[in-house]
Amino acid sequence: MNDFVYFCLKVLIVAFSLMNGKKGWTQQKQYQIRTIAFYNCENLFDTIRNPKTYDEDWTPNGAKRWTKEKYEQKIANLARVLAQIGREENPNMPAIIGVAEVENREVLEDLVLHPTLRKGNYGIVHFDSPDKRGVDVALLYAKDHFILQNASHHTLCLYDKAHSGKRKRIYTRDQLLVSGLLDGEEMHFIVNHWPSRLGGQKRSSPNREAAARLNKKLIDSLQNIHAKAKIVSMGDFNDGPLDTSIKQVLQTEGEAIKVLPLGLFNPMEKMDKKGYGTLAYRDAWAIFDQLILTEAFLQQEFTSWKYWKARIFQKPFMVQSDGLYQGYPLRNSNNEPGFSDHFPVYFYVLRAW
């Protein structure tokens, strides 16, 4: 079955299911569908030593023995995943992809130009962050569907407790804000990779709460301009949907019906409560990779882009099949490039046409 026929069938199925929930509809409607995704790429480094960052492990002579062949396999693995996200309902590759743990623009160019992704015709938004390892966040956008209008990066300034009267700077990733038109409709995306849990969850929580405040400030600034701004805050938050940074600082709701005007909806919360995860540690699953949407995506009508449903993307080829970590995401090892230690997340938007 070719992609066009598959897509038409899916559109009819979606339309039928929506019609069943709407009494009084006298004619069938057709729907456009787009996929929006996020993926932590886990150490997407090139093989070249950067003297400004701590990337020496990711070189041919470094601890990871990171050769050209391994790098190219890593690119191929990531391209394979990204090309398939959301294809269960949408024959097209994602229109928007947020990514984390990428070293520079060059690795992103290699990724989008890989034969598996090339036909997606992706543009790149990337800025260097002050992270000491040199990893950044970025946004890939399908140029056939998204027109870039503005992009900016916002630094989170953190300091640890005073040592001998002097506070030490904690360097972390910037938050990336991208605005543009998704098939003619304005939309904003914030890509995040919040501070890690180094030192323990409790001790490090204030750093992520500070990241959440910066995130909320960016969202509020956009909503002050337009109360119905459609904003997606996506990323690896290093916290789950019920942690303080997400639930109390961002003030998210896990049920769409409870989201107030100007509020935030987190579709990952229900998945978290059911025990699903995007990463695992000591056999405990957690959802650190999240997609948080403003209330504007939850309108009743489909005259503009509307949230449909969210998912965690997990295929057998992305999963460790044996050994101590059987069932975990198939990550890099010393001998073989994997995919990532995270599963990607995504959601669909629909609108009538």
Side-chain angles (χ1 to χ4, degrees), residues 147-167:
I147 297 175
L148 175 66
Q149 292 184 317
N150 187 58
S152 56
H153 58 117
H154 302 266
T155 299
L156 178 64
C157 291
L158 296 172
Y159 297 88
D160 66 4
K161 294 182 179 180
H163 292 280
S164 302
K166 185 178 181 180
R167 294 194 304 165

Side-chain angles (χ1 to χ4, degrees), residues 128-152:
D128 286 320
S129 287
D131 180 89
K132 285 189 174 182
R133 288 203 308 130
V135 293
D136 310 321
V137 298
L139 187 106
L140 310 179
Y141 61 94
K143 290 185 281 186
D144 296 342
H145 296 290
F146 185 77
I147 297 175
L148 175 66
Q149 292 184 317
N150 187 58
S152 56

Side-chain angles (χ1 to χ4, degrees), residues 100-145:
E101 288 201 23
V102 296
E103 184 180 17
N104 49 45
R105 185 181 180 90
E106 287 72 23
V107 300
L108 293 167
E109 289 173 350
D110 288 344
L111 181 60
V112 301
L113 291 177
H114 188 275
T116 306
L117 280 184
R118 189 188 297 269
K119 68 179 181 180
N121 191 24
Y122 284 106
I124 299 168
V125 183
H126 168 268
F127 296 94
D128 286 320
S129 287
D131 180 89
K132 285 189 174 182
R133 288 203 308 130
V135 293
D136 310 321
V137 298
L139 187 106
L140 310 179
Y141 61 94
K143 290 185 281 186
D144 296 342
H145 296 290

Side-chain angles (χ1 to χ4, degrees), residues 8-222:
C8 289
L9 287 174
K10 279 296 183 181
V11 167
L12 290 174
I13 292 169
V14 171
F16 182 76
S17 65
L18 292 169
M19 288 171 62
N20 282 344
K22 291 281 188 178
K23 293 183 178 180
W25 279 32
T26 58
Q27 62 180 16
Q28 178 175 297
K29 289 190 177 184
Q30 291 181 309
Y31 291 84
Q32 291 179 313
I33 182 170
R34 298 287 177 259
T35 306
I36 297 170
F38 171 80
Y39 195 19
N40 181 324
C41 296
E42 192 204 9
N43 295 320
L44 180 52
F45 284 93
D46 59 26
T47 63
I48 303 167
R49 176 76 177 97
N50 182 348
K52 296 181 180 180
T53 63
Y54 299 146
D55 71 342
E56 54 268 26
D57 285 352
W58 300 93
T59 60
N61 295 321
K64 304 295 183 181
R65 296 294 188 264
W66 196 239
T67 63
K68 179 175 180 290
E69 291 74 21
K70 288 183 178 181
Y71 169 69
E72 289 176 347
Q73 184 61 55
K74 174 77 170 183
I75 289 287
N77 288 351
L78 295 175
R80 181 183 180 186
V81 172
L82 294 176
Q84 293 188 36
I85 292 176
R87 299 295 282 270
E88 296 89 350
E89 307 286 357
N90 180 4
N92 300 308
M93 297 182 196
I96 300 291
I97 305 172
V99 292
E101 288 201 23
V102 296
E103 184 180 17
N104 49 45
R105 185 181 180 90
E106 287 72 23
V107 300
L108 293 167
E109 289 173 350
D110 288 344
L111 181 60
V112 301
L113 291 177
H114 188 275
T116 306
L117 280 184
R118 189 188 297 269
K119 68 179 181 180
N121 191 24
Y122 284 106
I124 299 168
V125 183
H126 168 268
F127 296 94
D128 286 320
S129 287
D131 180 89
K132 285 189 174 182
R133 288 203 308 130
V135 293
D136 310 321
V137 298
L139 187 106
L140 310 179
Y141 61 94
K143 290 185 281 186
D144 296 342
H145 296 290
F146 185 77
I147 297 175
L148 175 66
Q149 292 184 317
N150 187 58
S152 56
H153 58 117
H154 302 266
T155 299
L156 178 64
C157 291
L158 296 172
Y159 297 88
D160 66 4
K161 294 182 179 180
H163 292 280
S164 302
K166 185 178 181 180
R167 294 194 304 165
K168 184 179 179 181
R169 172 81 182 271
I170 299 172
Y171 293 94
T172 189
R173 282 71 57 177
D174 290 346
Q175 295 183 18
L176 173 64
L177 171 59
V178 179
S179 301
L181 302 177
L182 181 62
D183 295 294
E185 184 176 341
E186 186 175 61
M187 208 167 287
H188 311 273
F189 302 94
I190 307 173
V191 189
N192 304 269
H193 187 188
W194 288 3
S196 75
R197 294 193 166 201
L198 184 65
Q201 191 276 338
K202 184 176 181 180
R203 180 179 177 183
S204 61
S205 181
N207 294 336
R208 291 183 296 282
E209 292 165 30
R213 288 191 291 272
L214 173 59
N215 204 247
K216 190 69 166 61
K217 181 179 178 180
L218 294 175
I219 294 169
D220 288 347
S221 67
L222 293 168

